[in-house]
Amino acid sequence: MTMLRRAGPALATSVLAWALLSTTVGAAVREIRPGDSFESAVESLAPGDTLIVHAGTYSDTGRISVTVRGTAALPVLIRSADGEARPLITRAASAVIQNTINIEGATYLTVRGLEISSNGGDGINLNSVPSYVTLDDLVIHDVDVGVNVRSSMSHLQVLRSHIHHTGANDGTGEGMYVGCNYATCVVQDSLFAGNWIHDTRTSTQGDGIEIKLGSHSNIVRDNVIHDTGYPCVLLYGTEGGARNLVEGNVLWNCGDSGIQAAADAVIRNNLILESPGNGFNSQDHQSATPQNLEFVHNTVVGGSPCLRMSNWGGKIGLVLANNAVYCDGGSYAISSMTGVTVTGNVIFPATSMLPSSGYRVGRSTAQDLIDAASRNVYPTATSPMIDAGTASWVTALDFNGTARSGVPDAGAYTWTGPSNPGWTVGPGFKGTGAATPPAPPASFRAQ
């Protein structure tokens, strides 16, 4: 039975998370338990309502559509119950194949703490121009696409969520698919931060996070992405919109490329490791051609080739600065770099494809990185990465969030002592390596 009660001050305190929930008169708190219909509950929500979903399995057979239009004063929250296991929202195998949750035109909506699987559709599909939607602390698995944005929208946040084993029903299987081909829809002013995405290979594509052509002003930050079918992070271009920002991510065993970006992005402080294909790849993609792209303070270890940069010569706003690229046994595929800013990098082995004035030659992965085989690519005490960078392209913080000072070091880390002061990179959420996400930081927003 669906229970309904009015919100009061005590309830508002219990659901305090990213922002205070309104206690405006008229807002209701609904609670559902196994045997109740998740579909009916979410489709009857009104602005200001909170839906608390208790532990158990909810397996509706109808099409679930969340259309509630909350406001800044009357936001809507769907969340798990405090102190209980995650409730599972799924679809019966015998039901018509459908997305588990469709968010259609909803506004000022937060969904938090649920586990979501499917019978072959997407985990969450957003369409019909929603806005101000936050998806937080979700576990999404055994679906086609984890989070699929197939509409223009703004102010989407996907935070601290675990997305894995996508590609159900022989689908495309992206962890997150953001926008539309050829910019027929545009996603902007959105944040994808602190997520753990992996095992997207049982699919026809399986990118980790894909930001489509025309989508702009988005941030991809502090995600752990590995074992993907297509690139761990793929960006096209913004078609004149503000650049996208990709920073602080760790990526390994990515299909095709660790990061592939055609244009209009700032890519900084990322670790790209163990790539069986390209480490970093930049080339024409749909109507985007390389321009307005900064690749700064990243560490790339491995790849075949480690760097693939096509059609960069003579373009505007292209920067390769303060990176560490270790390509033992690998190669480079770099076309003309005429007019490109190349400075402060450390490259091993040396290559004539980059201007020699733009980099210092490393010694070897074994000598210059603490333990690359264990994904510890922090510099050794004698690494040529130390003090190799160029101050004009320094970033304020490094991969660990440590402040940079003095002459910058090349790569994603700033050297502060003989051992890595940050977390040991591995499966799990950044900063902990655990299967449970860390508490939200004060802000995921840009520095």
Side-chain angles (χ1 to χ4, degrees):
M1 178 178 69
T2 301
M3 298 180 62
L4 174 65
R5 57 188 172 89
R6 295 296 174 185
L11 174 69
T13 299
S14 73
V15 297
L16 184 66
W18 301 85
L20 281 173
L21 231 99
S22 170
T23 56
T24 303
V25 174
V29 175
R30 306 169 187 267
E31 299 188 31
I32 61 172
R33 291 175 170 80
D36 296 332
S37 169
F38 180 81
E39 177 185 358
S40 296
V42 298
E43 291 182 355
S44 62
L45 289 170
D49 284 357
T50 293
L51 176 65
I52 298 174
V53 186
H54 286 274
T57 298
Y58 300 80
S59 184
D60 289 284
T61 58
R63 183 179 186 276
I64 296 174
S65 177
V66 185
T67 59
V68 60
R69 297 186 65 81
T71 66
L74 290 170
V76 178
L77 174 62
I78 301 169
R79 69 170 179 87
S80 59
D82 293 336
E84 297 182 11
R86 292 179 189 273
L88 172 62
I89 315 301
T90 190
R91 292 182 62 79
S94 58
V96 173
I97 293 175
Q98 176 52 255
N99 307 320
T100 303
I101 299 175
N102 295 281
I103 296 175
E104 299 179 303
T107 56
Y108 290 94
L109 168 70
T110 294
V111 182
R112 178 180 299 122
L114 307 182
E115 180 181 358
I116 299 168
S117 65
S118 80
N119 67 345
D122 299 337
I124 297 178
N125 186 291
L126 298 103
N127 59 78
S128 303
V129 198
S131 62
Y132 292 95
V133 174
T134 296
L135 308 176
D136 176 33
D137 187 18
L138 304 177
V139 176
I140 303 174
H141 62 91
D142 295 292
V143 297
D144 181 7
V145 178
V147 176
N148 197 346
V149 188
R150 290 303 181 112
S151 166
S152 290
M153 74 172 298
S154 66
H155 299 94
L156 168 65
Q157 295 189 107
V158 185
L159 310 174
R160 306 186 310 141
S161 292
H162 183 190
I163 301 173
H164 62 97
H165 292 93
T166 59
N169 199 35
D170 297 322
T172 56
E174 293 86 357
M176 300 184 203
Y177 186 102
V178 181
C180 298
N181 268 325
Y182 297 98
T184 54
C185 72
V186 169
V187 177
Q188 65 185 74
D189 298 306
S190 294
L191 174 65
F192 310 94
N195 302 289
W196 176 24
I197 301 171
H198 62 95
D199 288 290
T200 67
R201 293 188 167 199
T202 308
S203 63
T204 61
Q205 296 183 28
D207 306 84
I209 299 176
E210 181 175 1
I211 309 292
K212 303 296 286 187
L213 184 69
S215 291
H216 64 86
S217 311
N218 301 300
I219 299 171
V220 178
R221 173 181 290 149
D222 292 339
N223 301 286
V224 176
I225 307 176
H226 59 90
D227 295 289
T228 62
Y230 272 19
C232 282
V233 176
L234 172 61
L235 305 98
Y236 296 50
T238 67
E239 295 209 315
R243 292 186 295 183
N244 295 306
L245 172 63
V246 179
E247 70 172 351
N249 305 282
V250 57
L251 320 162
W252 72 85
N253 207 21
C254 309
D256 184 83
S257 303
I259 296 177
Q260 179 177 333
D264 308 321
V266 175
I267 302 170
R268 65 190 188 195
N269 287 333
N270 301 283
L271 307 180
I272 304 174
L273 313 175
E274 305 167 21
S275 179
N278 307 294
F280 171 59
N281 180 13
S282 180
Q283 60 187 17
D284 292 1
H285 201 158
Q286 291 190 0
S287 62
T289 192
Q291 62 181 343
N292 299 321
L293 183 64
E294 297 176 11
F295 192 76
V296 177
H297 273 299
N298 301 285
T299 297
V300 181
V301 180
S304 182
C306 299
L307 298 178
R308 181 183 296 276
M309 294 181 288
S310 303
N311 202 18
W312 272 42
K315 303 299 176 54
I316 62 170
L318 295 176
V319 177
L320 183 75
N322 295 356
N323 302 288
V325 181
Y326 282 80
C327 201
D328 298 32
S331 61
Y332 308 96
I334 302 171
S335 60
S336 168
M337 298 293 278
T338 301
V340 177
T341 298
V342 182
T343 184
N345 302 285
V346 172
I347 306 289
F348 178 82
T351 174
S352 61
M353 296 180 184
L354 294 173
S356 58
S357 60
Y359 69 91
R360 180 183 293 181
V361 180
R363 298 173 302 180
S364 71
T365 300
Q367 290 176 285
D368 296 351
L369 309 175
I370 287 183
D371 188 357
S374 298
R375 305 190 187 101
N376 187 349
V377 293
Y378 185 79
T380 61
T382 59
S383 174
M385 297 159 62
I386 297 171
D387 294 342
T390 300
S392 56
W393 292 102
V394 69
T395 63
L397 304 178
D398 76 347
F399 174 84
N400 284 332
T402 303
R404 287 192 167 95
S405 61
V407 179
D409 304 329
Y413 291 106
T414 187
W415 191 86
T416 57
S419 61
N420 186 348
W423 70 294
T424 302
V425 171
F429 289 94
K430 183 178 176 179
T432 65
T436 301
S443 176
F444 272 117
R445 283 295 173 192
Q447 298 145 5

